[in-house]
Amino acid sequence: MGDQGAADRIVEFVGDWQGQVVATSVHAGHDVRPDLADLMVLDEAERYREEDPHTDRIAAVVPDRVVTHRSRFECDLNRPRREAVYRTPDDCWGLKVWRDAELPDAQFEGSLATYDAFYDALGERLDRVAERGPFVLLDVHSYNHRRDGAQAPPAPVADNPEVNVGTGSVDHDLFEPLVARFLSDLRAGDLAAGPVDARENVAFEGRNIAWFVHDRYPRLGCVLALEFKKTFMDEWTGDVDETALERARLALAAALPGLAEELGRLDG
């Protein structure tokens, strides 16, 4: 990555990476390469709505974390490689992203290079974490709950918790006590002026970040894929509620000591 500015880097590591709890926020970025920007016709506000703005600020309560500035519309780092580049509308919720019917081969290959560079760098860093013993990666995302329109009622709370904790590929035989402790500690926090509605695998179970870690580090890596409902911002205007965002940050921060304790038991 050399001396490039942070926004030009594919992946940036923050912290000393000496702890066993780390975080990612791979959909927080908004930047795209200039050759992609020249071809992009998707309205910027619509692109922003499908990204996960401010999740990097939530993840920042974890000292050791990955910062990615690139948009998921350049390369979706939480999808398998074969699905990671949105070439046609069928790849991304029917949205027309590119001026032509399909993203050209040259740009497609450039975006796959983004994908490979990210996972190469992440794997190299996590290899060192795993050498020390079990670890947790908090994969922080957000999700829309007002898809019917700015003036329409939000999606039902029954199917849309404030925080969805995805554990679909976690080794539950080993990590179940840790998962249960995390959910308990997270629920004890204060989000939206009350206890946190945190539930497991309601709508999201975790995708490629989780699969990558669980395949590469069996019985060592545990990914908790966190989807924060966008009650901390207006998903249609992009306006952020700083008070609500800070509550989300504090709720997650309050659950970190419990993760450290549970990891200590596993490594004891």
Side-chain angles (χ1 to χ4, degrees):
M1 288 93 191
D3 295 324
Q4 293 173 301
D8 294 327
R9 299 178 189 173
I10 290 173
V11 59
E12 178 185 358
F13 294 97
V14 177
D16 61 16
W17 283 67
Q18 293 303 305
Q20 296 305 101
V21 178
V22 302
T24 57
S25 50
V26 296
H27 289 161
H30 189 66
D31 299 322
V32 295
R33 303 189 317 272
D35 63 318
L36 288 181
D38 290 343
L39 298 174
M40 188 173 284
V41 295
L42 181 66
D43 177 81
E44 187 159 8
E46 195 162 17
R47 172 158 69 97
Y48 192 69
R49 186 161 61 247
E50 297 298 342
E51 294 163 345
D52 293 353
H54 309 294
T55 51
D56 54 335
R57 296 174 63 188
I58 298 174
V61 301
V62 181
D64 299 326
R65 62 193 185 277
V66 182
V67 178
T68 47
H69 303 278
R70 304 293 182 87
S71 171
R72 68 189 303 172
F73 286 90
E74 175 172 332
C75 182
D76 191 330
L77 298 171
N78 201 34
R79 287 189 180 187
R81 190 177 189 274
R82 66 183 180 277
E83 304 172 12
V85 182
Y86 306 156
R87 297 198 77 172
T88 69
D90 289 342
D91 296 328
C92 53
W93 317 286
L95 297 174
K96 180 175 172 55
V97 180
W98 313 111
R99 183 180 303 117
D100 299 324
E102 184 170 314
L103 183 68
D105 288 346
Q107 281 72 29
F108 174 70
E109 293 298 331
S111 292
L112 286 181
T114 297
Y115 187 91
D116 293 340
F118 170 80
Y119 275 100
D120 286 349
L122 180 63
E124 181 180 348
R125 191 61 64 105
L126 288 179
D127 285 350
R128 283 175 259 163
V129 175
E131 286 175 359
R132 298 193 298 266
F135 68 93
V136 169
L137 187 152
L138 298 173
D139 182 29
V140 182
H141 298 268
S142 64
Y143 74 98
N144 295 324
H145 66 119
R146 306 190 69 97
R147 287 200 173 273
D148 291 339
Q151 306 306 318
V157 171
D159 301 318
N160 294 270
E162 285 289 340
V163 188
N164 183 103
V165 180
T167 63
S169 59
V170 166
D171 181 344
H172 284 274
D173 288 342
L174 179 63
F175 289 111
E176 185 57 39
L178 181 149
V179 172
R181 172 72 180 275
F182 179 77
L183 280 163
S184 176
D185 289 350
L186 191 59
R187 288 167 180 154
D190 182 8
L191 190 58
V196 178
D197 175 20
R199 286 176 267 160
E200 191 175 357
N201 299 328
V202 175
F204 307 97
E205 296 188 354
R207 287 206 79 192
N208 204 68
I209 296 286
W211 300 342
F212 171 80
V213 169
H214 295 150
D215 286 347
R216 188 173 176 119
Y217 310 104
R219 299 191 67 78
L220 286 172
C222 175
V223 175
L224 303 178
L226 310 181
E227 294 273 358
F228 285 80
K229 186 159 62 173
K230 287 185 181 175
T231 50
F232 59 83
M233 65 178 290
D234 185 319
E235 64 196 58
W236 288 94
T237 67
D239 294 338
V240 63
D241 180 336
E242 292 290 347
T243 300
L245 183 65
E246 184 62 14
R247 286 198 191 107
R249 285 170 40 82
L250 292 175
L252 181 56
L256 298 181
L259 287 178
E261 286 184 18
E262 295 300 324
L263 285 170
R265 292 190 179 99
L266 287 170
D267 202 29

